[in-house]
Amino acid sequence: MTDQEKKKYLEESEELISEGSENKTELANRIAEQSRRMANTYQHIEDGFLRIIRWFSTFIDRILFNRKNGKMVALVLAILMYVVVNYNTMASVYTSSLRSTRSMRDIAVTARYNTDTFELSGLPATADIYVTGEAANVINAVAGGGTVVADLEGLTEGSHEVRLSGEGFGDSVTVVVDPSVVNVTLKKKTTQQFDLSWDFINRDKMESVYSVGTPVFDYTKVNVRASRDTLDSIAFVKALIDVGGQAADFEQDARLVAYDSTGAPVKADIVPDTVHVSVAVTSPNKTVPIEIQVSGDVPDGKAIETITADQQTVTIYGAETVLSGIDKVVVTLNASTITKDSTILRPIVLPAGVNSSNINQITMNVTVGEGVTRTIDNVPINYRNNVNNYKASQPENKTTTSVTVFGTKTNIEQITVDDINVYVDMKDAIPGLQEFQLLIDQPADRLVRYSLNESTYELNVLGETNIDTDDSGSDSNNG
């Protein structure tokens, strides 16, 4: 660097340093000026606040220490102190002074009267209540509960208008009953004797294999006390014997209830209201064969060849009187649903009055084969229901007919004339020449089916009686 260049460099550096010094001085001056302005602002605010305090203090001094205003100030301070001290008490008084009304629906109505002498009618079972008063008292009264009472004491036989009143709600509330007035009737009671019958209840809770015998009562007549109208409406008095869960002979005190002719209970005094009863519990049963009854026809010209069941008998349970009239139970089979050899599960249909059985269903193995037909001639025509025992003759002396049998070859080959019963029903016969419908009994197992080759049969019915009736109810075929 030359001397001239060094000199120029030194001059430029001095100028820069001079400019930086001037800038720093200007910045410091601005900061100092801003500080002075803020200090002045704070001072003005402080002076204003002090002036307000001095003014308020002077004002208070003028009010509190002025003889003219001293009494007023004392009164205001006394009121403030009273309000602060008694705030809770005043709030409580204000709250308790609120009034409220609450309703109570369907309150049971009770009556005061001589139940031994009179029978009461016309009194409603329930009534509504409206409770009014201070809110706290209403809440307590409703929570405590009460009753609606009809006071009939001192009243005589006849109709009366009585007032219903609420009791048990306390004296601090007002109680209004709706309805407030009702019309009731008092009738004098009298006593009548009734024969005692019975009914078994809760039979569904007794095992079906058990049967109950005729109950034995300590007495068979009871006294019923009620008004004459009520007594006249009673059709019978029953002892309700609870058999639920019983499996052996038992005794109990059965409740007595009176009923009208429709089976509705009648409210009356039964004296006494129970009767001691002894009941025998048995398990009568009977073993009978199972009969399979086939309905419908196998489709496509086929027929049932065999039906083999896994059970041939069933043990049934019920009353002895019911069992004595039963000699079989029935299982049904719809042949129209069978198209090939099948294993079929079917329920056992229990006769009416039978409670249960040892089995509920059977399994059947059914085989089918091609259906064929066969005609059987010289089948006798019989008479049935010849209730008037008429003598009859056939104009052409025709006493037989032909029957077509349909089934598998094996089954129809076993059918003989003796297996077929063709007949005419003479229940509505009258003397003279008549045409009767020919009828035929189908076999119970329906493995074969019979068809008549002619549908009518002509008879000359005479007024004379000559045709004898056999034990089965079928008449002979002799004219």
Side-chain angles (χ1 to χ4, degrees):
M1 183 180 290
T2 61
D3 293 339
Q4 188 176 359
E5 290 175 344
K6 290 181 179 179
K7 183 177 179 180
K8 184 178 180 179
Y9 175 76
L10 290 173
E11 289 177 354
E12 291 176 354
S13 297
E14 289 176 357
E15 289 178 0
L16 291 172
I17 292 171
S18 176
E19 289 178 0
S21 298
E22 291 176 359
N23 291 335
K24 289 181 180 179
T25 301
E26 184 180 354
L27 178 62
N29 290 335
R30 285 200 300 269
I31 292 173
E33 181 63 26
Q34 186 175 4
S35 297
R36 284 193 297 273
R37 285 199 301 271
M38 291 180 66
N40 291 335
T41 300
Y42 290 149
Q43 185 64 42
H44 287 316
I45 292 173
E46 182 178 356
D47 292 343
F49 185 70
L50 291 174
R51 283 196 298 271
I52 292 173
I53 291 176
R54 285 195 296 270
W55 177 84
F56 185 73
S57 176
T58 303
F59 177 78
I60 293 298
D61 289 341
R62 290 177 180 176
I63 296 298
L64 295 179
F65 299 105
N66 188 316
R67 292 183 179 180
K68 182 178 179 180
N69 299 325
K71 294 181 180 180
M72 181 63 68
V73 171
L75 177 61
V76 171
L77 291 176
I79 293 173
L80 289 175
M81 292 180 64
Y82 177 82
V83 170
V84 170
V85 171
N86 295 279
Y87 173 76
N88 290 335
T89 302
M90 293 174 65
S92 175
V93 171
Y94 175 76
T95 302
S96 64
S97 64
L98 294 176
R99 297 186 66 79
S100 172
T101 299
R102 294 186 64 177
S103 62
M104 301 174 67
R105 303 290 182 182
D106 298 327
I107 305 301
V109 179
T110 59
R112 295 195 185 106
Y113 68 104
N114 190 337
T115 57
D116 293 331
T117 303
F118 294 109
E119 177 183 281
L120 174 64
S121 62
L123 186 71
T126 62
D128 297 335
I129 290 180
Y130 300 90
V131 183
T132 303
E134 295 180 358
N137 294 334
V138 170
I139 293 173
N140 292 333
V142 171
T147 58
V148 177
V149 177
D151 190 354
L152 311 179
E153 292 184 352
L155 299 181
T156 59
E157 184 177 16
S159 298
H160 304 276
E161 184 178 83
V162 296
R163 180 170 296 276
L164 301 182
S165 60
E167 294 186 1
F169 295 94
D171 298 331
S172 58
V173 295
T174 301
V175 177
V176 177
V177 181
D178 182 25
S180 59
V181 177
V182 295
N183 292 313
V184 299
T185 302
L186 291 174
K187 297 179 181 179
K188 280 190 176 182
K189 289 183 177 180
T190 185
T191 301
Q192 182 175 332
Q193 197 171 71
F194 288 83
D195 291 327
L196 186 61
S197 59
W198 72 88
D199 214 351
F200 295 118
I201 61 175
N202 292 326
R203 298 202 67 153
D204 58 328
K205 298 179 181 178
M206 184 181 192
E207 290 188 34
S208 58
V209 298
Y210 296 110
S211 295
V212 288
T214 302
V216 178
F217 298 100
D218 284 0
Y219 46 85
T220 58
K221 293 182 181 293
V222 293
N223 292 323
V224 180
R225 185 168 176 78
S227 68
R228 173 46 54 190
D229 292 340
T230 299
L231 291 176
D232 290 342
S233 70
I234 296 175
F236 45 84
V237 178
K238 284 188 175 182
L240 303 183
I241 305 171
D242 188 353
V243 299
Q246 301 293 348
D249 297 353
F250 67 93
E251 298 181 10
Q252 67 178 223
D253 290 328
R255 182 168 60 94
L256 301 181
V257 179
Y259 297 91
D260 62 17
S261 58
T262 67
V266 176
K267 186 176 180 182
D269 298 334
I270 303 176
V271 184
D273 58 358
T274 62
V275 60
H276 189 77
V277 58
S278 301
V279 183
V281 177
T282 59
S283 184
N285 60 84
K286 183 179 182 181
T287 300
V288 294
I290 298 173
E291 180 180 286
I292 300 173
Q293 292 186 354
V294 182
S295 62
D297 299 319
V298 181
D300 303 325
K302 295 185 178 182
I304 295 176
E305 176 80 28
T306 61
I307 300 175
T308 305
D310 63 343
Q311 302 286 340
Q312 282 70 48
T313 61
V314 58
T315 300
I316 55 177
Y317 297 85
E320 292 182 356
T321 54
V322 173
L323 297 179
S324 62
I326 298 174
D327 56 7
K328 65 181 178 182
V329 297
V330 173
V331 174
T332 59
L333 175 64
N334 186 358
S336 63
T337 62
I338 302 172
T339 58
K340 60 181 179 179
D341 295 352
S342 306
T343 299
I344 301 173
L345 192 68
R346 292 295 297 158
I348 293 176
V349 180
L350 294 179
V354 174
N355 299 328
S356 64
S357 60
N358 65 328
I359 57 174
N360 298 319
Q361 58 190 10
I362 65 170
T363 301
M364 294 178 286
N365 293 317
V366 181
T367 62
V368 297
E370 292 298 329
V372 295
T373 59
R374 173 189 168 202
T375 300
I376 299 179
D377 299 319
N378 300 317
V379 178
I381 299 175
N382 299 312
Y383 307 125
R384 273 192 188 171
N385 298 322
N386 186 13
V387 292
N388 294 312
N389 203 22
Y390 286 135
K391 179 180 179 181
S393 64
Q394 216 285 327
E396 299 177 2
N397 293 321
K398 177 180 171 62
T399 60
T400 64
T401 188
S402 297
V403 174
T404 298
V405 182
F406 173 83
T408 64
K409 182 178 180 180
T410 301
N411 288 332
I412 67 174
E413 286 179 347
Q414 300 176 13
I415 303 299
T416 67
V417 169
D418 294 336
D419 297 320
I420 305 173
N421 183 36
V422 178
Y423 64 95
V424 294
D425 191 345
M426 296 186 65
K427 178 181 64 174
D428 298 323
I430 57 175
L433 185 64
Q434 297 177 55
E435 190 174 72
F436 292 87
Q437 190 77 21
L438 272 181
L439 304 171
I440 189 169
D441 288 333
Q442 297 292 340
D445 58 12
R446 293 283 297 203
L447 295 183
V448 297
R449 183 176 72 247
Y450 302 143
S451 299
L452 288 164
N453 291 355
E454 54 186 334
S455 59
T456 59
Y457 185 65
E458 194 174 49
L459 274 179
N460 185 20
V461 180
L462 305 177
E464 304 174 18
T465 60
N466 189 38
I467 300 177
D468 297 326
T469 303
D470 58 22
D471 294 337
S472 65
S474 297
D475 297 331
S476 69
N477 61 344
N478 297 321

